[in-house]
Amino acid sequence: MSNYKWSTPEQLRSLLCEVVSWDSISHTEGERRFPFKLQQKLLENDYFKEHPDYLSLHEADFGRHLVTALYKHPEATETVVLISHFDTVQTEEYGDLEGLAFHPELLTKELLKRKSDLNEEAQIDLESGEFLFGRGTMDMKMGLVLHMSTIEKAISEEWPINLVLVTVPDEEVNSSGMRAAVKVLVALRNQYKLSYKLFLNGEPSLTQKPGDENYYIYSGTIGKIMPAALFYGKETHVGEPLKGMTANYIASFMTQLMEWNPLFCESDRGESTPLPVSLQQKDLKLQYSTQTPYRAVALYNVFMMKRTAQDIMNLFEQVALEAANRCNESYKTICALAGIKPIGEVKVIRYQELLEYAKKKLNPEQVEKLLNDVFANGEWDEREKSLRAADELLIRCPELAPAMVLLFAPPYYPAVNSSENALIKESIQLVKNAALKDFGMEVQQIHYFNGLCDLSYVNYQDASDGWTTFEQNTPTWGSVYTIPFQEMSELQAPVLNVGPFGKDPHQITERVHVKSAFLETPKLIENLIKNLYAAKATL
């Protein structure tokens, strides 16, 4: 074992603390520096000095890069892809301990002095000495560290199977790192004649409820999509309210029907998607005045299992038509009581319909300039740009108002599931048997990882071309935001997620279980991959 640097529990703990110390909060300079530090770390293994082409940085966006490290056995074609992300969420919640957020050993010791500030479960875990606290310890730099250890073992022991370690930025925001990695993985496959056998992610085992101590592995990942709406009424003075219609009034009917609507709930294999909620609702007035707000927007979070973007837009439109009908009926009643004529009826329009209408009314060149001006705004993120694009068009087509414009805003995570795949069934049983035999530990399978992960961008299957509805109704599509659907569909191999047990991602009490991270999960991953080629050798 003397040649191994990342193998023993002590070595893995040290490596994790080093990697966590390279702060890499999404959209910061630390995230941009991280892949270069990781590249230097991987170069400590002579294999990558001898094969420099196997270790590469690839551009994602905004000066960020993803890293790929290939272990290529001279006679193997079958390949396991090890997927992780290295960005983390922010650390403001640590307060005066923020300076220790990326130093797990120091933070854990300091939290012991302040344990009364933590919830009861976190206190118990802290006092047990069985957890290491810190931002990124569980989500998900331990997953990356496990993959570094795995590829080191494969190199040293010359495993007769290929491994591709790929670790990406931006998973916590838009997954632009993984979306860029898809094309890289297709290129690597073609360049080195690889045959992808398994996409193995290392996201942590998440608790299903407070106090949950079970260890889970995942044979798929839940999908997420964000239907959004622009509400456009008619402006008026507050002294003459019925001469107009506020956008907030229209929006209230839609949000009332979207929040917790069971129409969007899916169930599969005994698991269900969380109900939809609104993630944002606001009017677009930039300053206070006595003019009523006549433009407003809202974002809604919808999880998916088997549905496509087309399915969700159809359901969203169904809800919007009901909301518009209720709004119109309520408004007519108010106008009748006041003895005035209504200004009109709220209509429901898809973004693609608005876009075509605007191109005919104005001209395609003018519309393109309007949209490009929106997309060039450095103050707005992808979601704001999507909403503002619809707003710019409808401002110039007020004859369509009052109206709800339906669209999609980024990001979009397709659901992926490999529960029925024979290799996955065999692999899960192997992990369960090994965990019980070696550690006396029970492993449970979950069919959909419920924390969202980068596995959404591999093994894409959609016979109905349901993604075209997403392309047509996402204003930022093709300029600010894209998804490589074609390349994703080329990466046809089953998915599995095996990672360390931890608790409280994105909280001050984020922590990883020491034994799970440094002893149990490394062995489970090693057994899993060795079985892939051992089974073949016995045929």
Side-chain angles (χ1 to χ4, degrees):
M1 280 293 196
S2 58
N3 293 331
Y4 294 88
K5 296 181 179 178
W6 310 323
S7 179
T8 68
E10 296 76 20
Q11 289 172 333
L12 285 171
R13 184 167 182 144
S14 175
L15 180 60
L16 174 64
C17 289
E18 181 179 359
V19 173
V20 167
S21 75
W22 306 337
D23 64 282
S24 50
I25 297 172
S26 305
H27 286 290
T28 66
E29 186 59 32
E31 184 187 31
R32 286 186 282 274
R33 288 193 304 261
F34 185 95
F36 296 92
K37 293 180 179 180
L38 179 62
Q39 182 183 42
Q40 291 306 307
K41 194 68 183 174
L42 287 167
L43 281 169
E44 291 180 12
N45 191 306
D46 290 339
Y47 181 82
F48 294 114
K49 293 176 183 174
E50 295 161 8
H51 302 88
D53 292 346
Y54 289 178
L55 177 60
S56 303
L57 268 58
H58 311 266
E59 190 171 347
D61 61 2
F62 303 115
R64 300 181 294 189
H65 294 78
L66 62 106
V67 180
T68 58
L70 168 65
Y71 159 67
K72 179 80 175 74
H73 187 277
E75 297 172 9
T77 57
E78 290 191 338
T79 306
V80 176
V81 181
L82 306 171
I83 299 173
S84 65
H85 71 85
F86 57 76
D87 65 315
T88 72
V89 295
Q90 73 290 334
T91 55
E92 289 94 335
E93 68 272 21
Y94 285 87
D96 66 331
L97 292 180
E98 189 172 11
L100 299 181
F102 296 115
H103 301 281
E105 303 287 10
L106 295 175
L107 177 66
T108 304
K109 288 177 182 176
E110 186 60 33
L111 285 174
L112 266 170
K113 301 174 186 176
R114 309 183 183 200
K115 57 189 178 185
S116 60
D117 295 340
L118 308 181
N119 64 60
E120 184 180 0
E121 186 177 343
Q123 285 187 47
I124 293 170
D125 288 347
L126 184 63
E127 291 170 341
S128 73
E130 296 176 1
F131 287 83
L132 195 58
F133 288 66
R135 175 62 75 241
T137 51
M138 73 167 292
D139 185 16
M140 67 162 292
K141 287 180 176 174
M142 190 62 225
L144 168 58
V145 165
L146 288 169
H147 294 168
M148 293 169 70
S149 175
T150 302
I151 207 166
E152 180 191 55
K153 285 183 182 176
I155 291 167
S156 298
E157 299 174 11
E158 299 182 346
W159 294 358
I161 193 168
N162 306 319
L163 299 180
V164 176
L165 180 154
V166 55
T167 189
V168 301
D170 192 57
E171 189 269 354
E172 299 290 1
V173 184
N174 291 312
S175 276
S176 64
M178 190 62 200
R179 287 184 286 117
V182 167
K183 294 184 178 181
V184 172
L185 286 170
V186 171
L188 284 174
R189 181 199 65 184
N190 296 340
Q191 181 179 354
Y192 295 106
K193 297 180 171 53
L194 307 176
S195 173
Y196 292 142
K197 189 177 183 70
L198 175 68
F199 292 104
L200 183 62
N201 203 8
E203 289 277 8
S205 171
L206 299 175
T207 56
Q208 297 296 294
K209 58 185 178 182
D212 186 4
E213 300 292 333
N214 293 314
Y215 179 76
Y216 302 102
I217 57 177
Y218 306 83
S219 51
T221 185
I222 201 168
K224 165 198 163 92
I225 198 165
M226 201 135 62
L230 167 70
F231 307 98
Y232 203 110
K234 185 180 187 314
E235 74 284 0
T236 186
H237 188 281
V238 291
E240 300 178 301
L242 291 177
K243 281 191 173 181
M245 182 186 291
T246 68
N248 297 341
Y249 181 73
I250 304 171
S252 68
F253 288 89
M254 184 66 166
T255 296
Q256 185 73 21
L257 288 183
M258 278 300 295
E259 288 267 4
W260 307 328
N261 190 332
L263 189 66
F264 292 90
C265 188
E266 283 188 80
S267 295
D268 185 32
R269 299 176 178 88
E271 297 171 21
S272 298
T273 57
L275 293 171
V277 293
S278 58
L279 284 177
Q280 185 181 73
Q281 183 170 312
K282 63 179 182 179
D283 69 62
L284 298 182
K285 275 182 69 174
L286 297 177
Q287 66 282 317
Y288 170 82
S289 76
T290 53
Q291 181 194 55
T292 56
Y294 65 99
R295 291 143 53 224
V297 292
L299 299 173
Y300 305 102
N301 190 88
V302 173
F303 288 110
M304 312 150 68
M305 286 179 171
K306 293 184 175 298
R307 287 171 175 160
T308 66
Q310 181 176 333
D311 297 330
I312 299 300
M313 179 54 80
N314 289 342
L315 289 174
F316 190 46
E317 186 175 53
Q318 178 183 328
V319 172
L321 288 168
E322 174 61 23
N325 182 57
R326 292 189 187 188
C327 178
N328 290 329
E329 289 303 312
S330 175
Y331 173 61
K332 284 178 187 174
T333 299
I334 293 169
C335 288
L337 289 172
I340 66 163
K341 182 180 178 183
I343 62 163
E345 288 197 341
V346 175
K347 296 179 284 294
V348 174
I349 308 168
R350 292 192 183 193
Y351 176 78
Q352 68 181 106
E353 297 168 333
L354 171 61
L355 182 62
E356 287 305 312
Y357 182 93
K359 285 179 179 178
K360 288 176 183 176
K361 178 181 179 180
L362 307 172
N363 61 61
E365 292 76 20
Q366 187 178 351
V367 168
E368 184 178 4
K369 184 181 184 310
L370 284 170
L371 296 180
N372 285 340
D373 287 346
V374 171
F375 301 151
N377 189 312
E379 299 297 314
W380 295 338
D381 67 10
E382 290 86 345
R383 286 146 293 282
E384 191 72 20
K385 287 175 181 177
S386 299
L387 298 165
R388 294 286 179 172
D391 183 47
E392 284 293 329
L393 297 182
L394 198 49
I395 283 176
R396 287 160 179 82
C397 305
E399 64 274 14
L400 297 177
M404 301 181 191
V405 179
L406 310 184
L407 58 129
F408 287 123
Y412 172 30
Y413 290 80
V416 178
N417 188 271
S418 299
S419 296
E420 296 305 313
N421 181 275
L423 176 65
I424 296 303
K425 287 183 175 181
E426 176 190 327
S427 297
I428 288 173
Q429 195 56 51
L430 173 91
V431 171
K432 287 183 173 183
N433 293 343
L436 197 59
K437 176 176 175 288
D438 295 341
F439 306 111
M441 178 177 74
E442 287 196 8
V443 171
Q444 297 187 28
Q445 176 187 2
I446 288 183
H447 299 284
Y448 292 90
F449 181 75
N450 58 347
L452 297 178
C453 81
D454 285 327
L455 286 178
S456 282
Y457 299 104
V458 297
N459 202 38
Y460 184 75
Q461 298 175 31
D462 179 8
S464 66
D465 290 346
W467 74 70
T468 56
T469 300
F470 183 81
E471 295 179 359
Q472 292 164 348
N473 290 286
T474 303
T476 53
W477 181 263
S479 53
V480 177
Y481 186 80
T482 57
I483 297 175
F485 289 113
Q486 182 57 50
E487 289 84 354
M488 283 158 52
S489 64
E490 291 186 44
L491 298 176
Q492 289 299 313
V495 304
L496 189 62
N497 190 101
V498 180
F501 176 68
K503 297 182 182 180
D504 295 350
H506 300 191
Q507 298 181 46
I508 187 175
T509 46
E510 177 180 351
R511 58 198 183 276
V512 72
H513 189 270
V514 170
K515 186 178 179 183
S516 175
F518 306 135
L519 186 64
E520 296 167 348
T521 315
K523 189 65 176 175
L524 295 180
I525 292 174
E526 180 180 348
N527 288 343
L528 170 62
I529 295 175
K530 283 183 173 179
N531 182 67
L532 297 179
Y533 62 77
K536 184 180 178 184
T538 59
L539 293 177

